Amino acid sequence: MKFIVLGLGNFGASLASRLTEMGHEVIGVDNSMRKVERLKEKITHTVCMNSTDADAVSSLPLSDSDAVIVSIGEDEAASLLTTALLKQLKVKRIIGRVVSPLQKTVLDAMAIEEYILPEEESAERLAMRLDTVGVIDSFKISEKYSIVEATVPERFVGKTIEQADFNNRYKVLVLTTIKPARSGDTPGRNLKEATGVVKSNTVLEAKDILVMFGELMDIQRLIKA
């Protein structure tokens, strides 16, 4: 997969480096040559550029990218202008960064449905979400085990927990299922409702979210198989 990370501060640098380690093609962009030079050996490509310059940003492979992440944090105005520019250029998936309530309000007004709160979401968690299609969130319990939220793979829709047999087939324990946001909920941060501890006769529905515990490799095998 290909990602563009705009802003190589602490969060952006960590995210771009981690995604590169995962085997993705990453273009890291910042207007500071010092940051670009420091990270050129850790990220697939680095570019020194003003992300509020329409001509410069248009030269990036935006249409070929799976997501463009705006990780600018120190300059709130530049972050919002960059996000607005990406929206104007019709980038298919934009992930914005929120550092204040006002910024969140503006992103909502621009209909940005995905955003990051760096104080709450680590670069490692976002990298995991971008790395595996269907993953909504993840939390590393230890070096070996993680808890992962992911949408129910289509092949399991209509099956019960017993029929899916996640534990025996994948060595993954499903802790609960979560119903997705209802129509009309506030965009940007989906409201979700857990259904309680799953039972063997719990039926999995389309767009349900599985909360799973196990080794990351096994969880990824379940999602991607």
Side-chain angles (χ1 to χ4, degrees):
M1 298 174 76
K2 180 183 288 186
F3 301 103
I4 298 176
V5 178
L6 301 173
L8 298 176
N10 291 335
F11 186 89
S14 296
L15 175 62
S17 300
R18 185 68 184 111
L19 286 170
T20 300
E21 290 170 5
M22 287 174 164
H24 301 291
E25 182 179 353
V26 181
I27 300 174
V29 178
D30 201 280
N31 62 1
S32 166
M33 182 59 75
R34 178 181 58 82
K35 292 179 182 178
V36 167
E37 285 294 316
R38 179 165 52 89
L39 292 164
K40 67 180 182 180
E41 301 300 325
K42 295 182 178 181
I43 303 171
T44 317
H45 311 285
T46 52
V47 180
C48 186
M49 173 188 296
N50 179 357
S51 64
T52 65
D53 184 323
D55 291 334
V57 173
S58 296
S59 69
L60 295 170
L62 301 172
S63 61
D64 295 332
S65 298
D66 293 280
V68 178
I69 302 97
V70 181
S71 58
I72 301 167
E74 61 279 3
D75 188 338
E76 196 168 336
S79 178
L80 288 172
L81 285 172
T82 298
T83 305
L85 176 58
L86 294 174
K87 193 75 176 178
Q88 184 179 14
L89 293 171
K90 301 187 186 308
V91 173
K92 58 187 176 184
R93 186 182 182 189
I94 304 168
I95 301 177
R97 180 176 180 178
V98 171
V99 296
S100 73
L102 177 59
Q103 191 172 19
K104 178 184 178 300
T105 299
V106 176
L107 289 179
D108 285 344
M110 285 193 282
I112 300 298
E113 297 184 354
E114 289 187 85
Y115 52 79
I116 48 177
L117 297 154
E119 294 77 12
E120 297 179 11
E121 180 164 23
S122 69
E124 174 74 25
R125 288 170 68 187
L126 179 56
M128 171 63 185
R129 180 151 61 93
L130 292 170
D131 180 56
T132 307
V133 175
V135 168
I136 296 167
D137 202 356
S138 66
F139 182 75
K140 201 171 185 179
I141 300 294
S142 67
E143 286 303 312
K144 191 173 182 180
Y145 295 103
S146 298
I147 292 177
V148 174
E149 287 184 15
T151 50
V152 175
E154 188 176 348
R155 67 188 186 280
F156 295 120
V157 172
K159 293 185 177 181
T160 64
I161 291 293
E162 183 177 24
Q163 290 169 335
D165 200 17
F166 296 119
N167 202 356
N168 290 323
R169 293 173 62 188
Y170 300 99
K171 299 179 183 177
V172 171
L173 179 64
V174 175
L175 303 175
T176 188
T177 59
I178 298 175
K179 296 299 178 185
R182 300 175 299 276
S183 176
D185 281 337
T186 302
R189 239 349 165 199
N190 290 340
L191 299 178
K192 299 176 291 186
E193 182 179 349
T195 58
V197 177
V198 294
K199 300 176 182 177
S200 61
N201 63 351
T202 298
V203 178
L204 300 174
E205 299 178 356
K207 297 184 181 180
D208 276 357
I209 298 165
L210 296 175
V211 180
M212 298 169 284
F213 170 81
E215 292 190 44
L216 189 53
M217 181 175 64
D218 291 328
I219 294 174
Q220 288 178 321
R221 187 164 56 90
L222 184 158
I223 296 169
K224 294 179 178 180

